[in-house]
Amino acid sequence: MNDSLENTNRDAKLQILILDDEAIVCKRLKPAFQKAGYDVETFTDSASAMSRVNEKKFDIVITDLKMEGEDGMRFLSRIKETAPDTGVIVITGFATPESAKESFHKGAFDFVAKPFRLSDIIDTVRRLEKQIRSKD
Amino acid sequence: MDRALGGEYIFDRAFLESSVHELSDAVYQVVYSLNALSQNEYPRLFDRFQTVKDILDDILRGGAGPFASSLVLAYPVLGWEMEPLVGMFNICLAEARHRYELCAPDGFAVTAAGCRLFFEENGFLKEASYGSDPNAVKETFSRARIPTELENAIQSETQALLERCGSGIRLSVRVCPAGGLDMGQHPLVGIHNVSPRDILDACKLELAEYASRLTEWNESRVAVALGIHETVPVSFTGKVSTVSETVSTVKTLWITAAPEDHPEEIENYWVSRSFPYNLLQSDVLPKASGENSQDRAKDPSSFQGIPYRGSAWMEPSFLQSIALSATTIERMLGFPFELRWGKSESENPVILDIYPMCQMEEESHFPEDLTDILRHADLLLQGGETAQAGIAYGRVVHVSEIDSEEDIPYGAIAVTRKASPQFSSLLRRVSALITEIGTPGGHLATIAREMRVPAIFGATDALKILRTGWEVTVDAGERSVYKGRIEPLLSYRSSGAELCPTDPEYVVLRGLLRWIMPLNLIDPESQEFSIENCRTYHDIIHFAHERSIEELIHVQSRKDLMGNLPSRRLELDIPMEIHVLQVDGETSLKAPDAVRMEEVTSEPLLAFLEGLSQKDLWNQSVLSLKVKDIFSGIDRTYAAIAGPPEHMGRNLAIIASEYMNLSLHLGYHSSIVDTYLSDNPGRNYIYFRFVGGFADERRRVRRVNLIQAVLEKMGFKMAVKGDLLVANLRMTSKEESVSILESLGGLTAFTRQLDVTMVSENRVEDLVQLFLSKMSRSSQSNQDEETEHEKLPEEDP
């Protein structure tokens, strides 16, 4: 089954890509979202993540903001250029009103400051899922 | 920060850095404020603060804190945060023995710093400086010199170990990689049965064995430590693997066993992964007739229901003990591992080795349809707060503070009313803990995180909903309890969503918390309660808290301070004067001198005054003082005139809407009530201190006994010394707190000047009963009034 077909099926699992240069964040978020019923791929560098985005359509991208190399804000812009329907959630340990405003301006669905509860980020993804499924 | 250990939060290094900086600022403010309150009585507390702050900053920069330069470290002081210094093997044995009280050998570690010193002093840091031939390497190492400083440290620690374990023990020496090096590899088997006097040679030999096996030698390969521990004589050995194997759809632990002198005679057992660890399958060797296996094997009839193929090496109860150790360590580590065990002379399973198998379960073990499974599961309870994330299965047991620990079965899901610190030791036995009252910020929650026991605190009606004996599956991270055993959910136990001790962030967080959380200063009355003994931020805060309460006792004598504070006299309908100082909201210096009762917004003060103003609790009759009474009190009269502030000061209530610090000086005794009262029971506390009196010491002590008897009935924890009583009560609901504060107010009125009348021991119990009956009548009268009030027709607008 190809990716586009997968995503038109309302019962199919949503595809999530997580990008954070701190390995601990990827390591912990992946099983948590798998448990919540999502397919998850994780990346710790933005180049590999962007390369994967070019190969496969993801429903949801969760990205850190401050990273080595290409930062999350640039990654967010490129995702929105490549796949405008993909919902993006920004997570950051350096939250400022300016970075939040810029994220929303670039099309982020939500902006979550670290540390956050697992249940909170899952709730955010659930809200985004509802929006995505309602569009379907 | 402590809560981040519990697996509920996702965080990164930025969080750790900002948290430490915020905390340091707050602790500095505490130290500064105490000195401001006391006119700089405690300047050395700034020094202690700076010492702890420097340690925390060092850990944040990647340092190992004050232990970094230690050449040896005894197992009792080891914690996860020291893994980079001593390696996983040493930490596992130390944690298993000292934190979880499992059967594991005692010992000590020669740290990575100690080993590095040895390499450096002998010029072994240069690549292949000792040759590549294994025999040549061993020859070179045997001629190497252990630096005197390291030699003394090893011998001193060996002596300490002999004192702990007995002088007749033999020792084992083992190289263990430190700092996460070679985590997936089985360490060397080590050298065993070493005489303590040969320990230095054994250390060199073991390091030579390690060096001779390396294909390349570089800086990172030097990051090794040595584990030196007691050699435990065993009759059987075997392994336990926690990597899931399934028997009839049930995930199992796989245990092997063989006689120590016949290691090829291996038997296999598969037991369930939850208490009582039922034996599900076995692969038992047939025993030849006439073999002395009867001496070694145990009762074969114990394996009823299992295909009988001869007597087994291990009886089910022994397998159960091994499984209990394995699942405890699995919870401790958070990932699958293999454990080597031995059967000691005392017939106990002793842990000989622990090494990780792989970091996580295979993803294929995750059930695809878990969301559906949980949607259709019987969700019994959802709510509360996660104290420690994790998934557990077991039978519900209701636990109260009067229950004996031995009455709680291993593996139970303990459900309690309050998160009382008294349940700390219970956490070694249970699979999960659920409390109706308590918060993740409390002491018991900290212990649950230390022990990594799944825990939900503040789960309303948990005792009512979860019935004793029910089998349940607890998902503490989701704050959910399901009826029955949800096997697919249990598969997630080692999925990696939790923070594990091998995660670098966990190590740093634990390293920081070691200098923040522990409370070493317990008893304010002890001589040890000093600035010099403040070793953590918690110590500093506790010290400052106790001393600030003392300062508040004296605060009204401080004309310099009080002259500037806008305290106002409270208009009371009782023969007593209380001044109030409002510390929240807006307080105008131009406010009237007096404040009316209806203007008071502090709930604790209102509750206290409700009891204090009960007219029938005030003994209005003039006391009949005998000459003896006057003489016995005359020293206190002179003392009062001489001016100790507690006898001279005003009655002062420092108040906020949810807080009260009330200092009362009634006649010749003084009392303090320090309390916080909110909708969150986990934050509520009442501190009560009572001291002094006019009568002779025996009568004063009798009055204190009376107060103690009443407070005991309210659930206070108390310390009494002569006529001094200090009482604490925590985690009461708002309604309970209000009722108790009313009683304290009533008790204050009732016991005023009562010491003079305490002529016999019998009077104590009589007056306790009298007080309780008066309070009861008063409470009933209030209820009647409220009922009457409710009956009154509403006035027309």
Side-chain angles (χ1 to χ4, degrees):
Chain A
M1 187 182 289
N2 67 38
D3 291 326
S4 58
L5 281 175
E6 265 184 35
N7 290 312
T8 56
N9 182 345
R10 291 181 66 85
D11 295 329
K13 288 184 175 184
L14 290 195
Q15 307 294 309
I16 299 180
L17 181 145
I18 298 170
L19 168 62
D20 197 308
D21 64 348
E22 294 220 32
I24 184 73
V25 176
C26 294
K27 182 206 148 212
R28 296 186 60 203
L29 283 181
K30 184 173 183 177
F33 279 114
Q34 285 175 328
K35 184 181 163 197
Y38 300 96
D39 276 341
V40 185
E41 292 184 33
T42 59
F43 296 87
T44 52
D45 72 283
S46 50
S48 306
M50 200 62 229
S51 169
R52 185 63 178 143
V53 167
N54 289 332
E55 292 169 10
K56 176 181 173 180
K57 182 180 184 305
F58 287 90
D59 303 290
I60 295 170
V61 166
I62 299 172
T63 178
D64 189 15
L65 213 50
K66 193 174 176 182
M67 292 179 287
E68 292 287 325
E70 187 174 66
D71 74 2
M73 204 62 83
R74 174 79 187 121
F75 186 69
L76 164 62
S77 300
R78 290 181 62 187
I79 291 283
K80 284 295 175 185
E81 287 163 18
T82 313
D85 291 343
T86 298
V88 181
I89 296 166
V90 172
I91 54 176
T92 180
F94 300 91
T96 62
E98 290 74 28
S99 57
K101 192 176 167 185
E102 190 179 351
S103 300
F104 287 120
H105 182 69
K106 288 182 185 294
F109 173 78
D110 208 344
F111 182 90
V112 182
K114 291 180 198 167
F116 51 78
R117 288 180 175 168
L118 271 174
S119 55
D120 290 342
I121 192 80
I122 290 171
D123 284 347
T124 305
V125 167
R126 295 255 191 253
R127 282 192 290 114
L128 180 52
E129 178 182 14
K130 202 172 169 184
Q131 189 184 83
I132 291 168
R133 298 224 186 258
S134 69
K135 282 181 185 170
D136 291 345
Chain B
M1 285 177 73
D2 176 39
R3 287 185 67 176
L5 269 186
E8 186 189 10
Y9 287 91
I10 299 288
F11 64 91
D12 55 14
R13 283 196 67 85
F15 162 72
L16 296 178
E17 286 166 7
S18 63
S19 298
V20 168
H21 291 151
E22 279 176 32
L23 183 63
S24 293
D25 287 348
V27 177
Y28 178 83
Q29 282 300 323
V30 167
V31 176
Y32 179 87
S33 301
L34 174 64
N35 276 287
L37 191 65
S38 64
Q39 294 180 301
N40 291 320
E41 275 288 310
Y42 308 96
R44 284 175 298 121
L45 201 55
F46 282 109
D47 299 335
R48 294 309 303 161
F49 161 76
Q50 192 60 47
T51 301
V52 178
K53 182 177 181 297
D54 288 346
I55 292 170
L56 294 174
D57 289 344
D58 175 53
I59 293 169
L60 281 175
R61 286 193 300 267
F67 295 110
S69 57
S70 301
L71 302 179
V72 295
L73 287 167
Y75 279 2
V77 302
L78 297 188
W80 282 112
E81 65 279 10
M82 295 178 176
E83 194 279 326
L85 300 179
V86 299
M88 177 65 74
F89 169 74
N90 282 316
I91 295 287
C92 283
L93 287 193
E95 288 272 334
R97 179 183 176 87
H98 294 287
R99 193 183 303 279
Y100 292 86
E101 295 184 357
L102 299 175
C103 212
D106 198 359
F108 65 93
V110 177
T111 66
C115 290
R116 187 180 178 86
L117 181 64
F118 170 75
F119 291 134
E120 264 177 353
E121 289 282 311
N122 291 284
F124 293 159
L125 288 179
K126 292 174 189 161
E127 188 171 355
S129 58
Y130 46 80
S132 56
D133 173 44
N135 289 328
V137 171
K138 287 177 188 171
E139 179 62 27
T140 306
F141 271 66
S142 70
R143 287 199 307 273
R145 192 183 72 84
I146 295 181
T148 309
E149 186 187 358
L150 179 60
E151 183 180 319
N152 291 341
I154 293 174
Q155 285 180 333
S156 167
E157 207 54 64
T158 302
Q159 191 55 40
L161 180 62
L162 295 178
E163 284 168 16
R164 292 203 298 273
C165 300
S167 56
I169 62 165
R170 310 285 283 184
L171 300 175
S172 297
V173 183
R174 174 95 61 89
V175 157
C176 28
L181 181 66
D182 289 342
M183 274 297 300
Q185 291 181 9
H186 191 318
L188 302 179
V189 292
I191 303 168
H192 303 281
N193 275 314
V194 176
S195 164
R197 65 172 178 273
D198 297 330
I199 193 65
L200 295 172
D201 287 339
C203 289
K204 286 196 286 186
L205 194 60
E206 178 66 357
L207 288 171
E209 185 69 36
Y210 170 72
S212 68
R213 290 188 181 202
L214 293 177
T215 53
E216 59 172 327
W217 183 254
N218 55 42
E219 280 283 305
S220 70
R221 298 290 169 182
V222 182
V224 292
L226 285 171
I228 298 173
H229 61 77
E230 181 185 2
T231 302
V232 182
V234 293
S235 54
F236 283 84
T237 60
K239 292 178 180 175
V240 189
S241 172
T242 65
V243 175
S244 293
E245 289 212 7
T246 304
V247 173
S248 304
T249 74
V250 176
K251 295 282 178 66
T252 64
L253 297 170
W254 172 29
I255 302 173
T256 69
E260 174 73 346
D261 51 355
H262 290 281
E264 73 286 357
E265 295 181 18
I266 299 171
E267 293 187 346
N268 298 283
Y269 314 91
W270 289 266
V271 301
S272 70
R273 293 174 64 90
S274 302
F275 194 83
Y277 307 108
N278 292 323
L279 180 62
L280 301 172
Q281 189 175 309
S282 63
D283 179 8
V284 177
L285 294 175
K287 311 295 186 300
S289 175
E291 191 190 32
N292 66 348
S293 59
Q294 289 305 311
D295 297 335
R296 297 185 293 187
K298 296 299 174 185
D299 180 15
S301 63
S302 300
F303 293 95
Q304 285 174 357
I306 305 298
Y308 178 76
R309 298 208 291 152
S311 55
W313 295 138
M314 297 295 117
E315 59 186 308
S317 62
F318 190 82
L319 291 172
Q320 190 183 62
S321 300
I322 296 170
L324 181 65
S325 297
T327 51
T328 303
I329 292 169
E330 185 181 38
R331 195 175 68 219
M332 167 177 110
L333 286 172
F335 54 76
F337 62 91
E338 202 164 273
L339 177 151
R340 200 165 70 80
W341 59 268
K343 188 172 186 179
S344 69
E345 287 168 345
S346 59
E347 303 279 303
N348 287 319
V350 59
I351 298 162
L352 302 175
D353 200 356
I354 301 168
Y355 41 98
M357 292 301 293
C358 58
Q359 283 299 310
M360 293 302 148
E361 294 267 7
E362 291 297 319
E363 288 185 17
S364 58
H365 290 171
F366 291 172
E368 288 285 311
D369 52 352
L370 182 68
T371 314
D372 277 344
I373 292 168
L374 293 182
R375 196 175 292 138
H376 294 105
D378 190 355
L379 180 62
L380 297 171
L381 184 146
Q382 184 156 48
E385 292 186 85
T386 303
Q388 166 65 45
I391 298 164
Y393 158 82
R395 283 184 187 276
V396 171
V397 174
H398 291 185
V399 183
S400 73
E401 285 169 315
I402 58 167
D403 288 329
S404 164
E405 191 181 314
E406 284 69 37
D407 294 338
I408 311 303
Y410 278 103
I413 306 292
V415 185
T416 71
R417 171 75 177 142
K418 286 183 193 174
S420 165
Q422 204 173 320
F423 297 131
S424 297
S425 58
L426 190 71
L427 290 167
R428 290 196 181 89
R429 301 177 75 94
V430 301
S431 295
L433 174 67
I434 300 166
T435 75
E436 289 190 333
I437 296 174
T439 67
H443 178 73
L444 190 64
T446 299
I447 303 294
R449 286 188 282 272
E450 289 278 318
M451 308 289 291
R452 296 174 57 80
V453 175
I456 305 171
F457 283 13
T460 308
D461 290 335
L463 284 166
K464 200 165 117 188
I465 296 166
L466 304 173
R467 303 288 175 80
T468 295
W470 279 8
E471 292 179 41
V472 298
T473 302
V474 177
D475 185 345
E478 301 281 345
R479 294 162 290 149
S480 302
V481 182
Y482 298 93
K483 193 165 191 178
R485 184 186 175 95
I486 315 283
E487 193 65 46
L489 189 56
L490 292 166
S491 300
Y492 276 87
R493 276 192 283 206
S494 302
S495 67
E498 292 170 26
L499 192 62
C500 293
T502 46
D503 293 326
E505 289 76 7
Y506 187 93
V507 173
V508 173
L509 182 53
R510 281 289 296 261
L512 294 170
L513 289 172
R514 184 173 188 128
W515 301 99
I516 294 172
M517 289 288 295
L519 182 61
N520 304 295
L521 304 188
I522 309 284
D523 180 10
E525 306 301 321
S526 154
Q527 284 193 336
E528 304 295 308
F529 201 86
S530 65
I531 291 174
E532 286 66 33
N533 288 327
C534 288
R535 296 196 286 275
T536 65
Y537 275 174
H538 198 168
D539 287 336
I540 293 172
I541 292 167
H542 186 52
F543 180 87
H545 172 76
E546 290 293 333
R547 291 296 178 259
S548 62
I549 286 178
E550 281 182 15
E551 292 299 328
L552 285 171
I553 296 171
H554 301 278
V555 77
Q556 50 270 61
S557 67
R558 296 269 309 280
K559 302 292 182 197
D560 57 325
L561 181 64
M562 294 306 294
N564 295 325
L565 294 174
S567 66
R568 295 187 287 164
R569 185 175 53 80
L570 186 61
E571 289 181 353
L572 290 170
D573 193 21
I574 49 175
M576 186 173 184
E577 191 167 281
I578 296 178
H579 283 74
V580 295
L581 175 62
Q582 184 94 20
V583 291
D584 63 348
E586 289 186 15
T587 307
S588 169
L589 288 168
K590 293 178 181 174
D593 289 340
V595 58
R596 286 173 287 124
M597 276 293 287
E598 52 268 31
E599 292 178 274
V600 175
T601 56
S602 169
E603 290 191 69
L605 179 59
L606 286 171
F608 186 85
L609 293 176
E610 179 72 28
L612 186 70
S613 56
Q614 299 295 331
K615 292 273 177 17
D616 63 334
L617 292 171
W618 286 77
N619 182 0
Q620 304 288 2
S621 62
V622 177
L623 287 169
S624 167
L625 293 181
K626 296 176 181 167
V627 173
K628 189 180 164 192
D629 298 321
I630 294 170
F631 275 104
S632 70
I634 204 160
D635 58 330
R636 278 173 291 286
T637 309
Y638 285 136
I641 294 167
E646 63 267 35
H647 292 170
M648 297 289 287
R650 293 184 301 178
N651 299 317
L652 178 71
I654 299 170
I655 54 169
S657 58
E658 295 179 328
Y659 173 77
M660 173 181 77
N661 180 287
L662 175 65
S663 298
L664 293 175
H665 308 281
L666 302 173
Y668 294 92
H669 75 261
S670 65
S671 59
I672 297 170
V673 184
D674 191 82
T675 180
Y676 184 77
L677 172 62
S678 71
D679 291 327
N680 184 344
R683 291 177 174 275
N684 294 345
Y685 72 87
I686 301 173
Y687 168 96
F688 180 70
R689 184 180 187 272
F690 184 98
V691 67
F694 182 80
D696 62 71
E697 185 177 1
R698 276 183 310 167
R699 297 188 200 191
R700 296 200 310 272
V701 170
R702 283 178 195 139
R703 176 167 60 178
V704 161
N705 291 342
L706 184 164
I707 296 168
Q708 183 181 14
V710 173
L711 296 189
E712 256 172 17
K713 293 181 191 301
M714 297 182 202
F716 276 87
K717 300 269 188 301
M718 277 168 288
V720 176
K721 196 173 178 181
D723 65 357
L724 168 68
L725 175 145
V726 178
N728 279 290
L729 185 66
R730 291 183 180 276
M731 285 189 290
T732 46
S733 67
K734 188 172 185 177
E735 294 71 26
E736 285 175 289
S737 299
V738 166
S739 170
I740 289 165
L741 284 169
E742 285 178 11
S743 296
L744 280 181
L747 193 62
T748 300
F750 185 75
T751 57
R752 178 178 162 267
Q753 298 180 352
L754 201 63
D755 53 335
V756 175
T757 71
M758 303 296 283
V759 291
S760 76
E761 296 295 332
N762 295 339
R763 189 131 170 85
V764 173
E765 187 51 35
D766 291 346
L767 286 170
V768 168
Q769 295 308 324
L770 178 63
F771 172 73
L772 293 175
S773 69
K774 284 193 172 196
M775 280 305 292
S776 171
R777 277 204 302 274
S778 161
S779 168
Q780 188 57 48
S781 159
N782 284 346
Q783 281 177 12
D784 292 346
E785 274 181 29
E786 282 173 19
T787 310
E788 283 300 312
H789 183 72
E790 284 165 11
K791 284 178 187 171
L792 289 174
E794 286 184 14
E795 288 182 9
D796 290 330

